[in-house]
Amino acid sequence: MAATKNGKDRKKFEKPKDRRGTILRLGRYMLRDKWLLLLALLLNVLSNLLALVGPMLSGYAVDAIEPGEGKVLFGQVFYYARWMLLFYAISALLSYALRVLMLLISRKVVYRMRKDVFDKLLRLPVGYFDTNQTGDILSRISYDIDTVNVSLSNDLIQMLTTVVTVFGAFGMMVVVSSRLVFVFCITVPLSFAITRFISKKTRLLYRLRSQKLGELNGFAEEMISGQKSLKAYHQEANTVASFDEKNREAVDAYYMAEYWSFAGPMVNFVNNLSLTLISVFGALFYLTGQMSVGSISSFVLYSRKFSGPINEAANIINELQSALAAAERVFRTMDEPAEAADLPQAKALVQAKGEVELSHVSFGYEPEHIILHDFNLRVEPGKTIAIVGPTGAGKTTLINLLMRFYDVNSGEIRVDGESVLALTRDSLRRSYAMVLQDTWLFTGSIYENLAYGREGACREEVEAAAKAAWMHSFISHLPQGYDTILSDEGTNISKGQKQLLTIARAMLLDARMLILDEATSNVDTRTEQQIQKAMLRLMEGKTCFVIAHRLSTIRNADWILVVNHGEVVEQGTHESLMSQEGFYRQLYQAQFE
């Protein structure tokens, strides 16, 4: 049905589009808690400034030792040591408070981001899910947003600490010895050049890593959900081979991203080079009487505080690149065009009569592949229309158009004389009850699943629908009856029972139009006959569209449309069509003879 399946036409690799825009969008998420963010910045500044006092006090303590005389002023040493202990203790407490605060901020950001993505998914057209892997979509909601979460709660703190510590340490080094600072005129530009070169490489590689992991998740989700078919067709070896290929691509992408993440060791080497130069020039300044041992000690400690954060920044820059790549994927989902909005003058369809008309409708999921050609159909209220034909004839496509999952390329669909474009989608879809061949149940009680589409449905109404679908006796014999929990899309009941539950759910809706797309495909013949009797009773007065491959199920339809290659090739009652030597009779005879 889909124009493309599972994203097979996806490009092998896409370059990042807008890093700056991604950063700004993440910033807007964080600025919703601007006061918490401001408090975090304040805690960060105070914590690091207090920690920066320690090296200066350490230098004073060292100067309390008189070289060559063996004289130590212990009173001064202990005095400065107490102050160092106090400042470091307060700094540690503030750092802990900062971490807790950043966890709170990141939790709020991730909650909003995940909510926005999920809300957007519910507003996307059905075509988006037809052309994107489920596993890839889930990867964006879970893995990619988790990556952003880790970066906000950990890496962002490190970056803030780096900024404050580097500038603070630099200022203190200027105070201690402005001449020694010139050593960093060589090492700092070298560190930045290395970091910039490597970050350009890793940015693309981390994006590729996220993409390959998404593809791997999508493939694994497909294969796990299709285990029965996989085993029935003895495809274990081929599946393992395909998984190995995708797994190798994901691992290779992960390896290459980490392989190029050697900015940290390189910058660490440069920092050690700066420490060597400081030691050499510091010794010369001491010999000439321009610096004391305590000043050299303080400068060395400040140089470590200056170089250390730069080294850490080089290490976490790769994680930030990964987070930006993940965030960009998330934002790309958010930027997907939503389902077209209702027209400003669109009105709600209230108490539909059930008159449906398709006039000169043409449609294709792809412009170059038209499925329905100049399709015409008029259905009177309360009539049952059966749609039959071979696979790919356009039967399910017709249902997609009636529900406005897709809009027609040309022509018009009217309900009660009104164009569906002039009606709100919500009211149009509420006017239909729908049972699909692919059953969908959620984790919850049987009662909750039956009452899913009708708010405020009472127990008696739910039980009446279950009785009409021949499910009441089965449900009553369960240990918890209607309160029995269905787990993992109803895997604890049979396919036929799942189908009956979805039929009962549709029966409960107060809709004037009903769509049945192979609604009895998963039940046995005896149960199917029972359902048909109940369905005929409940379908009275409703306009019904029935898609069926079992032609025995649509004999009582008021009108049968025989569709082939997107066109109605025959139409009439079962008896009139059987009396013709046409396509319908060939289909019928192929099934029963």
Side-chain angles (χ1 to χ4, degrees):
M1 182 186 73
T4 60
K5 292 298 288 182
N6 301 330
K8 290 181 180 178
D9 296 332
R10 180 185 294 145
K11 294 179 181 178
K12 277 288 183 183
F13 176 64
E14 297 175 282
K15 294 183 179 180
K17 295 180 180 178
D18 188 7
R19 182 177 60 170
R20 181 173 177 272
T22 302
I23 294 173
L24 291 176
R25 291 180 74 168
L26 281 174
R28 284 196 288 270
Y29 270 97
M30 297 185 69
L31 286 175
R32 296 185 190 180
D33 297 300
K34 56 185 177 183
W35 297 114
L36 290 178
L37 192 60
L38 184 62
L39 179 59
L41 291 173
L42 180 61
L43 289 175
N44 182 269
V45 171
L46 290 176
S47 173
N48 287 283
L49 289 181
L50 288 173
L52 286 171
V53 178
M56 182 65 73
L57 296 175
S58 175
Y60 292 156
V62 171
D63 281 339
I65 304 173
E66 297 183 4
E69 299 182 9
K71 184 179 179 181
V72 180
L73 303 176
F74 285 103
Q76 292 186 25
V77 172
F78 291 139
Y79 173 78
Y80 293 125
R82 284 195 299 269
W83 278 107
M84 286 173 63
L85 181 62
L86 177 63
F87 285 137
Y88 281 135
I90 296 175
S91 175
L93 290 174
L94 293 178
S95 295
Y96 176 75
L98 172 63
R99 180 163 294 279
V100 172
L101 188 58
M102 287 305 298
L103 285 172
L104 176 63
I105 293 173
S106 66
R107 185 181 71 175
K108 288 175 174 287
V109 169
V110 167
Y111 171 80
R112 295 191 193 104
M113 186 178 291
R114 190 166 278 137
K115 180 180 182 299
D116 289 346
V117 173
F118 193 77
D119 289 347
K120 183 57 180 283
L121 288 175
L122 295 182
R123 291 184 285 111
L124 290 177
V126 172
Y128 176 82
F129 301 95
D130 287 339
T131 55
N132 287 271
Q133 285 182 307
T134 302
D136 190 38
I137 297 172
L138 293 177
S139 178
R140 300 187 187 197
I141 298 176
S142 56
Y143 169 78
D144 287 337
I145 293 183
D146 282 341
T147 301
V148 174
N149 180 29
V150 172
S151 183
L152 291 180
S153 58
N154 295 322
D155 300 337
L156 190 58
I157 295 178
Q158 294 295 330
M159 290 303 296
L160 293 174
T161 300
T162 294
V163 172
V164 176
T165 302
V166 166
F167 282 99
F170 182 80
M172 296 302 290
M173 285 191 296
V174 171
V175 171
V176 175
S177 175
S178 57
R179 285 174 292 184
L180 269 182
V181 173
F182 284 102
V183 169
F184 295 101
C185 292
I186 300 173
T187 57
V188 170
L190 185 58
S191 296
F192 277 115
I194 293 172
T195 303
R196 181 177 177 82
F197 170 75
I198 295 176
S199 65
K200 283 184 177 180
K201 274 282 186 184
T202 56
R203 191 187 320 144
L204 303 178
L205 294 173
Y206 273 106
R207 182 174 178 82
L208 179 62
R209 184 180 78 170
S210 294
Q211 177 185 326
K212 291 302 179 183
L213 286 174
E215 292 177 2
L216 179 64
N217 289 339
F219 180 81
E221 188 269 339
E222 284 184 347
M223 295 303 104
I224 291 173
S225 62
Q227 277 294 302
K228 290 183 179 179
S229 298
L230 187 153
K231 293 180 183 298
Y233 286 93
H234 310 290
Q235 291 297 309
E236 291 91 341
N238 291 335
T239 302
V240 168
S242 298
F243 182 84
D244 285 346
E245 180 182 353
K246 292 187 176 295
N247 190 24
R248 189 178 300 108
E249 290 177 356
V251 170
D252 288 346
Y254 198 98
Y255 168 78
M256 289 303 297
E258 296 299 325
Y259 176 80
W260 277 94
S261 303
F262 55 81
M266 292 294 295
V267 173
N268 193 43
F269 167 76
V270 176
N271 291 339
N272 289 329
L273 176 63
S274 68
L275 183 61
T276 303
L277 295 175
I278 289 170
S279 299
V280 172
F281 288 108
L284 293 175
F285 290 152
Y286 172 74
L287 291 176
T288 58
Q290 298 178 58
M291 288 185 71
S292 67
V293 174
S295 296
I296 296 174
S297 173
S298 296
F299 196 94
V300 169
L301 291 175
Y302 279 125
S303 72
R304 300 304 293 172
K305 283 188 170 290
F306 178 79
S307 303
I310 294 179
N311 186 28
E312 291 176 3
N315 285 327
I316 65 174
I317 196 72
N318 297 317
E319 295 301 325
L320 290 174
Q321 296 293 347
S322 177
L324 287 178
E328 195 172 45
R329 279 164 50 87
V330 173
F331 290 139
R332 195 162 64 244
T333 300
M334 292 186 188
D335 293 337
E336 287 286 341
E339 194 170 44
D342 294 326
L343 296 176
Q345 66 273 21
K347 57 184 180 181
L349 179 61
V350 181
Q351 294 180 341
K353 297 177 182 177
E355 179 185 328
V356 180
E357 183 177 359
L358 288 82
S359 178
H360 303 290
V361 168
S362 295
F363 173 76
Y365 296 103
E366 295 177 347
E368 64 275 10
H369 184 204
I370 301 300
I371 297 175
L372 295 180
H373 306 269
D374 195 30
F375 190 90
N376 293 279
L377 172 66
R378 180 178 177 81
V379 184
E380 298 293 335
K383 298 296 183 181
T384 297
I385 304 298
I387 307 168
V388 300
T391 301
K395 304 184 299 297
T396 302
T397 296
L398 182 60
I399 300 305
N400 286 336
L401 297 177
L402 291 176
M403 294 289 288
R404 278 200 75 188
F405 293 146
Y406 293 86
D407 283 327
V408 300
N409 293 357
S410 62
E412 187 179 36
I413 301 177
R414 290 186 290 272
V415 176
D416 293 350
E418 294 281 354
S419 171
V420 294
L421 298 178
L423 302 172
T424 62
R425 279 192 179 86
D426 180 68
S427 64
L428 175 67
R429 291 170 182 171
R430 285 179 181 273
S431 299
Y432 285 96
M434 192 171 185
V435 179
L436 300 176
Q437 180 178 2
D438 297 325
T439 57
W440 177 76
L441 299 171
F442 57 87
T443 299
S445 68
I446 290 178
Y447 174 82
E448 290 171 334
N449 272 273
L450 290 176
Y452 178 70
R454 182 175 174 182
E455 296 181 6
C458 66
R459 192 65 167 239
E460 291 75 17
E461 292 172 322
V462 171
E463 290 184 3
K467 290 176 182 177
W470 301 89
M471 280 295 289
H472 178 72
S473 177
F474 164 75
I475 297 173
S476 299
H477 284 85
L478 293 173
Q480 286 80 39
Y482 283 83
D483 296 320
T484 300
I485 299 298
L486 300 177
S487 60
D488 194 18
E489 296 189 9
T491 54
N492 50 341
I493 61 176
S494 70
K495 279 191 174 182
Q497 291 161 347
K498 288 169 63 176
Q499 190 79 68
L500 290 169
L501 285 178
T502 59
I503 292 172
R505 181 166 61 193
M507 291 178 177
L508 190 61
L509 296 178
D510 185 21
R512 299 296 301 168
M513 294 178 287
L514 181 65
I515 293 175
L516 303 174
D517 188 353
E518 290 293 334
T520 59
S521 61
N522 288 322
V523 297
D524 57 77
T525 304
R526 181 174 178 275
T527 304
E528 180 183 32
Q529 293 172 350
Q530 294 173 328
I531 292 177
Q532 286 297 325
K533 294 177 183 178
M535 293 287 281
L536 289 174
R537 186 170 63 252
L538 292 173
M539 289 162 59
E540 290 179 0
K542 294 182 179 180
T543 303
C544 302
F545 296 88
V546 181
I547 294 177
H549 284 109
R550 295 185 189 177
L551 301 186
S552 60
T553 63
I554 47 92
R555 289 181 177 180
N556 296 323
D558 295 304
W559 203 249
I560 299 174
L561 294 178
V562 185
V563 182
N564 194 23
H565 300 302
E567 298 178 354
V568 178
V569 295
E570 294 176 4
Q571 53 183 312
T573 64
H574 172 74
E575 290 76 15
S576 65
L577 290 173
M578 286 299 294
S579 65
Q580 303 173 20
E581 295 291 336
F583 190 56
Y584 179 82
R585 181 167 179 169
Q586 294 176 16
L587 292 174
Y588 192 88
Q589 290 176 339
Q591 287 191 17
F592 297 100
E593 297 181 7

